[in-house]
Amino acid sequence: MANKLQVQIQETVEELEHRLEGHVTAVNKEKLLVLYWLATKKIPKRAELATMLKRDESTIYRWLRAYKQGGITELLSIKKAPGKTPHIPLSIREKLIKKLQEPKGETSYGKLQLWLEKECGIVIAQLGEKREPSIERAC
C-alpha cells in the first residue's frame, strides 16, 4: 500500500500561478504544477499526478518530500554535482596561470609539460594518452 498523500500547500493558488509564469526550466514548472494541482484539488492522488506528468510516482514522492522538508525553496533548488576533483592542485594551477600570462610565456603543450615536471614535479600525460597525472612533490 502506498504512503498517503498528506501535503499542506502553503502558497496561494495565485502565487503558484504567478510562479508558473515566471519559471524557465521544465522540471521546475512540473514541480509547481504538482503544487498547483494539489492546491486546487484538481488532481489529489500521487498516481494521477505521475500519470499527468509522465513521471514515476517515486519522483512525485521525492518532490513532495522536499517540499515538506524545506518548502518551495527546497523544492525548486537546483542541486549541482560536485564534479571531478582537479588533477593539478590549486597552488600549482595558480603558478601555471601566471606562467601563461608572462609576456614570453610557454606556448606549447609539450613545453608546459616539461615546465610542470621540472618546476613542480607533476608528470602530465601526452595529449591523447590516458593516465592520471602523478605528483612527486609540490611547487
Side-chain angles (χ1 to χ4, degrees), residues 82-127:
K84 192 173 180 181
T85 55
H87 294 299
I88 300 174
L90 185 60
S91 61
I92 296 174
R93 193 170 349 142
E94 288 171 355
K95 288 183 178 188
L96 180 59
I97 290 168
K98 285 180 185 173
K99 180 75 173 167
L100 290 168
Q101 291 173 343
E102 289 176 2
K104 292 186 178 186
E106 300 300 341
T107 57
S108 74
Y109 185 78
K111 287 181 181 178
L112 288 171
Q113 279 181 302
L114 292 173
W115 180 83
L116 280 169
E117 188 173 351
K118 180 179 154 194
E119 296 294 321
C120 303
I122 295 180
V123 179
I124 303 289
Q126 294 290 332
L127 286 175

Side-chain angles (χ1 to χ4, degrees), residues 5 7-17 20 31-45 49 64 67 72:
L5 187 59
V7 179
Q8 296 296 323
I9 308 301
Q10 304 300 317
E11 292 73 24
T12 65
V13 173
E14 292 78 24
E15 185 181 349
L16 291 170
E17 287 173 344
L20 271 166
K31 292 174 181 181
L32 287 167
L33 269 175
V34 167
L35 296 182
Y36 177 78
W37 286 333
L38 289 173
T40 58
K41 298 183 179 13
K42 286 186 179 179
I43 304 176
K45 295 183 179 177
L49 290 167
L64 293 174
Y67 179 75
I72 201 159

